[in-house]
Amino acid sequence: MSWKNPQDWQTKRIAELEHSNEALFERFRVANEETSAIFNRVKQEERKRLFAESQVQELREKADNLNLENRQLRKEIRDQEKLQDSLNIAVGRIKELEKQLNKRSGREEPYGLATPSSKRINKVNSTPENRGKRGGARPGHKGHGRKEFPTEEADKIVSLDVMPDGCECGENNWNPKQIISHSVYRFIPARVEKCIYRKLEYVCTSCGRHASGHTPGVIRGALYGNAMIAHLLTEHYCHGQTAGSLVKRWNINRGSLFQLAHRTATQLEKCFEYILFRFRQDSRLVHADETPWAMDGAKGYAWFFGNDDFKIFILRHTRSSEVPKAVLGSKPLDLVLITDRYSGYTVELRMARQYCYVHLLRDLKKEEQDFPNEAEVQLFAAELSPRLAEAVSLRNRNLSLEDYRQKARQLQQEIETICDTQARHPAVQHIQNIFRENRDKMFQWVNSPEIPADNNFAERELRPTVIARKISFGSQAERGLKTRETLMTILHTARCRGLDPAQFLENALNLISENKPDDILQMLFPAQKKENAA
């Protein structure tokens, strides 16, 4: 481009450069402002970073302090637990030493929770609820009225021709209308009859031996008849009458009474052995328990093994496992044995086992009393006790087998859940370990209502023996132990099999006097032929 005037071009060029310079200066200014703003923001972020780093450092210091405090607290907790365990051990040891020293405060019961109410030191009054309970029929029950027994059951029928007293109308004009019956239970007092049998004595023409015919109802050469012997021994060994009362009532010498018992027990020894054989063979459920029984002042034990069909009484000097093994044998048996947790019922017994829940309830109650201020013990007992009690009473609800098993399995699951929960207190752990270590012995009752969760049957059957022990202080000789176990086993087994024990024993003695001892077993087990116990 050509310019006519260079000066104009220069002026215009200078103006353009000045404008461009102003634009650059403005851009520089804007950039400088933006840089300043960015620099300020960087400074702010730096300050924030430094502040955050200081806070992180403080938090780290606090975290370290908390961790240190936590470790110290954990150590203190472990030390407290060790102290609590040591305290529990020391308290238990103190109780053991106090027991060894027979130290009492005067408030203890002589037999602990098993103390009968008659021997309790501080017997509390009955609760208002129990006092409100009255005997007799339930309110609204109509009753059954007076029962008349049928004619075929009557032992005697007496015809009376008596007129009633004067009529209420004042007249005495009676006409017979019909014959009515009045059933009465009469009591015929027992009395001893002295009888002399006169009979011919014969002489053998070949050898000259003298002999006479058999006197009925009497063992050859005996002074006392079989009926009298049977009733005497039944009263003493079955119904619990004392020897002193029998001696006074029947006018018999005490030594003669026990000689009769020894002789009868010896004659029935094979019957006793056969009952043991059938007991092992036929039983599907067995209750067992034991109680002290002295022999001439030395410690011994009376054992019971039984069910609804057999009642076996064994008297021995020992409480060892040899007695259950001798009674139940060493072979596997298809039965359930119900006992307490005594170790004498050894694992060598090859059969199913069920422990008694009533003993566990008693143990729980004792733990509650020993640790009244321990919340864990009280809560555990409050949860477990009602479920054990329900398990004991479940079989009495008349449920169908399906409903029973469903409810029983539910109870089993609840009990196992309670016993599998972690616990700290040794008293709770003790009860829990019983269930954990003996699961196969705790829940046999779940399978059938025929299997109880308690051992009350054996406890009740041993109660008369306990009463006899308190009166007689045990047996006076080894022979007395054998006599008592033989006669008690035979008489009680006969009664539980539907026989009158006195009549059974009389018939047995009659068979012995007739030289037919093998027929005695047919009376006890009429449905099957006698098997060879050997």
Side-chain angles (χ1 to χ4, degrees), residues 198-252:
R198 297 190 181 275
K199 53 185 180 179
L200 289 174
E201 183 180 52
Y202 293 86
V203 179
C204 179
T205 58
S206 300
C207 64
R209 175 176 172 267
H210 291 247
S212 62
H214 173 65
T215 303
V218 183
I219 292 179
R220 186 174 298 276
L223 178 62
Y224 299 98
N226 295 337
M228 181 176 177
I229 296 173
H231 284 79
L232 275 171
L233 300 184
T234 301
E235 287 291 314
H236 183 58
Y237 291 102
C238 188
H239 301 308
Q241 290 292 321
T242 63
S245 65
L246 292 174
V247 166
K248 291 179 180 179
R249 286 169 49 201
W250 294 76
N251 193 26
I252 184 175

Side-chain angles (χ1 to χ4, degrees), residues 179-370:
I179 296 177
I180 62 174
S181 297
H182 180 195
S183 299
V184 177
Y185 289 90
R186 294 177 57 196
F187 173 69
I188 302 176
R191 57 183 294 268
V192 177
E193 182 182 50
K194 295 181 179 180
C195 183
I196 297 177
Y197 289 91
R198 297 190 181 275
K199 53 185 180 179
L200 289 174
E201 183 180 52
Y202 293 86
V203 179
C204 179
T205 58
S206 300
C207 64
R209 175 176 172 267
H210 291 247
S212 62
H214 173 65
T215 303
V218 183
I219 292 179
R220 186 174 298 276
L223 178 62
Y224 299 98
N226 295 337
M228 181 176 177
I229 296 173
H231 284 79
L232 275 171
L233 300 184
T234 301
E235 287 291 314
H236 183 58
Y237 291 102
C238 188
H239 301 308
Q241 290 292 321
T242 63
S245 65
L246 292 174
V247 166
K248 291 179 180 179
R249 286 169 49 201
W250 294 76
N251 193 26
I252 184 175
N253 183 274
R254 179 184 291 268
S256 299
L257 173 62
F258 288 112
Q259 284 299 323
L260 291 173
H262 296 326
R263 186 183 69 186
T264 304
T266 301
Q267 293 168 335
L268 294 175
E269 187 172 353
K270 289 185 178 180
C271 181
F272 171 76
E273 296 295 336
Y274 185 71
I275 289 175
L276 283 180
F277 167 74
R278 289 297 297 266
F279 168 70
R280 288 190 290 265
Q281 184 184 61
D282 299 346
S283 296
R284 294 297 173 264
L285 179 71
V286 174
H287 294 263
D289 200 7
E290 72 289 332
T291 188
W293 182 273
M295 195 285 288
D296 197 19
K299 182 179 291 186
Y301 291 91
W303 297 72
F304 171 80
F305 302 86
N307 48 44
D308 292 334
D309 297 322
F310 296 90
K311 293 182 181 179
I312 312 298
F313 293 87
I314 304 295
L315 279 72
R316 294 291 186 270
H317 293 282
T318 178
R319 199 186 177 207
S320 71
S321 61
E322 296 302 320
V323 177
K325 288 191 289 187
V327 174
L328 298 169
S330 58
K331 297 181 179 179
L333 296 178
D334 182 20
L335 60 83
V336 178
L337 177 63
I338 304 175
T339 65
D340 54 21
R341 301 191 306 277
Y342 172 52
S343 60
Y345 301 101
T346 174
V347 294
E348 296 178 22
L349 297 174
R350 304 170 67 181
M351 59 198 68
R353 301 286 303 280
Q354 171 65 51
Y355 281 164
C356 176
Y357 277 17
V358 175
H359 287 76
L360 286 167
L361 285 169
R362 189 181 301 167
D363 293 343
L364 278 172
K365 186 175 180 181
K366 184 177 184 301
E367 302 295 359
E368 283 185 289
Q369 294 179 354
D370 289 345

